[in-house]
Amino acid sequence: MKNISDRVTGNKKQLIIQLLLIMEFYKSSDDRQLYELTFPELRQEYNNYLNKK
């Protein structure tokens, strides 16, 4: 059974993935699928994407 911190992190990860998909961002800068990234990597990709705009 997952503990509460795993579920919270998982929910945050899903939220960032959904936001990136809405912005038509489908792969990371190193060409990995979004679901393959860790939460910190997703946050970095999201911030990088926003800073480019």
Side-chain angles (χ1 to χ4, degrees):
M1 180 177 202
K2 289 185 175 183
N3 66 33
I4 189 74
S5 64
D6 290 340
R7 285 186 278 167
V8 170
T9 300
N11 289 339
K12 288 180 181 178
K13 185 175 176 179
Q14 284 299 106
L15 177 62
I16 293 176
I17 289 172
Q18 288 174 3
L19 291 171
L20 287 168
L21 290 174
I22 288 169
M23 295 185 292
E24 297 181 2
F25 185 90
Y26 302 109
K27 288 194 175 189
S28 68
S29 55
D30 62 358
D31 210 32
R32 287 186 287 164
Q33 298 292 326
L34 298 177
Y35 68 87
E36 296 177 287
L37 303 176
T38 64
F39 179 66
E41 290 172 325
L42 276 169
R43 271 195 339 220
Q44 185 64 39
E45 291 291 338
Y46 179 77
N47 289 333
N48 290 344
Y49 183 81
L50 291 180
N51 289 333
K52 286 182 182 179
K53 288 193 131 198

